[in-house]
Amino acid sequence: MSSGSPGFFRQLPSALPGLVLIVVTMMIIRIWIEPWMAHTKIFGMSKPLTDAFHLNYILLGIMSGMFYRNVIFGGRIPEMLVDGFRLSRLMIKTGIILLGSLYTFSAIIKLGVTAIALISAFVVLTVLLVLWLGKAFGLDRSMTAVLANALSICGVSAAVATSPAVEAKASHVAYAIATILGFGVLTMFISPFIGRELGLSSMQYGAWIGTGILNTGQVLASALAYDPMVGPGTALAVAEVWNVMRVIAIPFAVFAVTLWYWAGKDAVDSHGNKQSLGSLLVEKFPVFVIGFMAMVFLTSLGAFGDVGVESGHSPSAAIMSLRVTMQWIFGFGLVGLGGFIDFDELRQAGGAPFRLGLLVGATKYIVALLIVLLLRQYFV
Amino acid sequence: MRFGNIVVAVDGSEVSEGALDHAVYLAVDGHASLTGIFVVDSKWPDFIGNDWQSARGARQGFLDYVRWEQEEQAQLARAQFSLATHGMDRAVFTVHAGDPASVLLAQSANADVLIASRRVFQISGRPSLKSLAATLSKKASCPLMLFP
């Protein structure tokens, strides 16, 4: 069962049809549909799609991907297009690396201290809550371990990273993933509404969704849905610092939960290799985080000119073109990501993992919002 | 009613026992050929396609792990089929990779009857496999017998 990722250049010819569909879709959205939405009148209301429904190119992009898969293609992406849709993962990783150009080290440390404090508190408390609820719901240790990491760090990636180490059954993991994705899709669409109704600043909104939304793909989408601009101080810039902190936590959390799992096991399983932290870091640490930090380093050195935050000057031409590039890359990537949201899988999720996931996910989402509201003077 | 060519879905769990026992009964009674099918679900890379940030090692490690689990399930299915068809001449067990619904539909295209449990392959599968029986009911080109 190969992941089908033989390398970018070898994959490119087979990816072209899917890429063309993604690129054309996003171009139509940005060149025709967005301007049309910004000027149209429906039932006497001026610009209802943007003002009332807060639709923008990001939400339209994800909805297009979901529409292609679930309506036009009848539940599966055709073989001819699937490689192109898979490349959306690479696009988003590239976008995140380029996002490093929004920050200097001093800015990232300023944001990072708050992020580390909030993320650490939420990761530890969520893990403890899930371990306790897992027992109360009668889930087995492996399922509880997967849910603990998936609900506390970053959804699907954490579930994927944890499952083999704790011998979780694939069918259980599938239900956990479907629950997380379903909850994520819901929060991705409702968060911008809530944020606007509460009058949250970009910093407050980014801190909230960076902590409260389970799956990091949906953190990205929700941030851009709130504020489609890419620049320092936008919801995206804040949420992604939170996101990167969560991603960095994956190998450590896998290690901790694996220790918990094996501590409660009587026998050593045939596949029960208790991996060291070192091997987990090599195997599970996402390399794009290093790219992101390298970009922050280069930006701090002034390699791309003035970032336009601390100096008060306009950003350099290089920085401006990087930001425009990022908007397009995220737009393309999120059309592709929408193509992997299968309503049939989400609709049929259920059972105890679903109930526990929903309970913990909703608790985390609400508590994160309450904390941000309570401490809103610190998030400005 | 007698059948000459019977296909049965087997997943090695107790869920598929009822369907398998009835398929064996029909095959013995009608001197029919019996094909047991296990499907290794190949839709997992697509199912986790939404996960954009996993390291390559983590993603492949997970897919290998799922594959290993399904291969173990295939061995259980083979043993279950062998035990149920012990002494039968015209009984064959096959393992396929693909989408379980598509494989069962394709493999039963020339059969006289397809027999399956409503919950077959859910033991190692994705949530949408809950609707496998409904898909077979809609699309099977041969008669279909569904067991609880």
Side-chain angles (χ1 to χ4, degrees):
Chain A
M1 204 179 292
S2 156
S3 63
S5 43
F8 178 74
F9 289 107
R10 278 170 60 194
Q11 204 179 343
L12 197 53
S14 64
L16 269 180
L19 275 181
V20 168
L21 179 63
I22 287 172
V23 169
V24 168
T25 301
M26 189 40 65
M27 289 184 81
I28 290 172
I29 288 171
R30 293 203 70 185
I31 295 171
W32 285 295
I33 298 179
E34 259 203 330
W36 172 78
M37 288 194 315
H39 297 102
T40 192
K41 275 190 174 185
I42 298 177
F43 301 125
M45 286 172 70
S46 176
K47 308 187 287 180
L49 297 173
T50 50
D51 290 356
F53 295 102
H54 305 299
L55 287 180
N56 60 24
Y57 73 97
I58 288 298
L59 286 180
L60 289 174
I62 295 171
M63 287 161 71
S64 303
M66 292 194 283
F67 182 75
Y68 284 144
R69 181 190 185 103
N70 295 284
V71 179
I72 295 186
F73 301 140
R76 73 177 62 168
I77 303 166
E79 283 301 315
M80 189 179 76
L81 302 175
V82 78
D83 281 347
F85 273 73
R86 271 190 202 132
L87 269 189
S88 60
R89 296 198 288 253
L90 184 66
M91 289 180 199
I92 293 181
K93 283 180 185 175
T94 309
I96 299 291
I97 291 170
L98 295 180
L99 211 58
S101 68
L102 299 186
Y103 316 90
T104 57
F105 269 119
S106 60
I108 214 163
I109 287 169
K110 201 173 154 193
L111 270 176
V113 170
T114 323
I116 287 172
L118 210 56
I119 292 288
S120 306
F122 265 79
V123 167
V124 172
L125 290 174
T126 310
V127 166
L128 291 176
L129 179 66
V130 174
L131 296 187
W132 178 66
L133 283 175
K135 212 170 183 179
F137 277 67
L139 296 181
D140 64 33
R141 285 178 76 81
S142 61
M143 187 71 242
T144 305
V146 171
L147 281 171
N149 272 356
L151 295 169
S152 64
I153 312 172
C154 41
V156 182
S157 315
V160 163
T162 310
S163 309
V166 298
E167 310 173 301
K169 279 191 73 62
S171 54
H172 291 177
V173 180
Y175 281 80
I177 288 175
T179 304
I180 289 158
L181 282 180
F183 187 75
V185 169
L186 180 71
T187 51
M188 180 173 74
F189 284 104
I190 64 168
S191 301
F193 278 95
I194 297 172
R196 285 199 181 87
E197 287 304 312
L198 295 174
L200 297 182
S201 68
S202 289
M203 173 75 180
Q204 290 157 353
Y205 183 82
W208 168 41
I209 60 162
T211 313
I213 291 186
L214 297 179
N215 203 34
T216 48
Q218 284 139 357
V219 171
L220 174 74
S222 186
L224 284 165
Y226 191 66
D227 177 3
M229 296 309 292
V230 176
T234 56
L236 175 68
V238 178
E240 273 313 310
V241 172
W242 261 248
N243 199 4
V244 166
M245 296 302 164
R246 283 161 62 162
V247 173
I248 291 172
I250 290 179
F252 300 98
V254 171
F255 182 67
V257 168
T258 306
L259 282 183
W260 170 81
Y261 173 76
W262 285 101
K265 290 266 300 177
D266 296 329
V268 175
D269 181 271
S270 56
H271 284 260
N273 305 315
K274 292 184 199 178
Q275 282 184 282
S276 67
L277 183 57
S279 67
L280 281 171
L281 279 170
V282 170
E283 188 185 312
K284 302 193 193 284
F285 191 84
V287 179
F288 74 89
V289 172
I290 297 169
F292 172 85
M293 294 311 291
M295 203 70 180
V296 174
F297 179 69
L298 289 172
T299 307
S300 302
L301 290 180
F304 308 108
D306 200 328
V307 184
V309 181
E310 284 149 8
S311 67
H313 299 138
S314 298
S316 68
I319 289 282
M320 289 303 284
S321 61
L322 273 175
R323 289 178 193 170
V324 173
T325 308
M326 278 184 264
Q327 286 186 326
W328 280 102
I329 288 182
F330 285 132
F332 297 146
L334 289 167
V335 173
L337 226 56
F340 286 106
I341 295 174
D342 190 326
F343 292 155
D344 208 23
E345 301 287 3
L346 305 189
R347 193 167 48 82
Q348 301 198 50
F354 176 77
R355 291 195 297 277
L356 190 150
L358 217 55
L359 179 64
V360 175
T363 304
K364 196 175 160 182
Y365 187 70
I366 294 166
V367 171
L369 178 59
L370 291 176
I371 286 179
V372 167
L373 288 174
L374 211 64
L375 305 174
R376 67 193 302 167
Q377 70 269 26
Y378 298 104
F379 296 104
V380 283
Chain B
M1 192 171 186
R2 293 199 166 188
F3 303 102
N5 182 8
I6 299 168
V7 171
V8 60
V10 188
D11 70 5
S13 74
E14 59 185 28
V15 160
S16 58
E17 273 173 10
L20 179 58
D21 288 346
H22 194 70
V24 168
Y25 165 75
L26 289 177
V28 171
D29 187 52
H31 304 289
S33 68
L34 177 63
T35 306
I37 292 180
F38 181 88
V39 187
V40 175
D41 185 1
S42 68
K43 301 297 286 179
W44 276 91
D46 184 61
F47 181 69
I48 61 164
N50 195 273
D51 166 32
W52 60 272
Q53 66 181 6
S54 283
R56 184 177 288 203
R59 179 189 304 279
Q60 195 54 53
F62 176 73
L63 293 173
D64 290 344
Y65 172 75
V66 172
R67 171 112 195 169
W68 165 80
E69 185 185 292
Q70 294 202 40
E71 283 172 356
E72 279 212 331
Q73 200 63 40
Q75 291 304 320
L76 291 175
R78 185 184 295 278
Q80 187 181 40
F81 185 82
S82 299
L83 191 67
T85 59
H86 184 70
M88 286 175 64
D89 292 336
R90 300 173 65 198
V92 182
F93 181 78
T94 56
V95 178
H96 301 262
D99 171 44
S102 306
V103 170
L104 286 176
L105 290 170
Q107 294 301 315
S108 63
N110 298 318
D112 295 318
V113 64
L114 169 62
I115 303 177
S117 159
R118 288 183 185 278
R119 291 175 290 155
V120 73
F121 298 134
Q122 285 184 24
I123 191 162
S124 55
R126 298 162 288 114
S128 66
L129 287 175
K130 277 185 189 169
S131 58
L132 177 63
T135 307
L136 295 178
S137 303
K138 273 188 220 154
K139 297 186 176 174
S141 56
C142 68
L144 173 69
M145 280 187 196
L146 289 174
F147 281 73

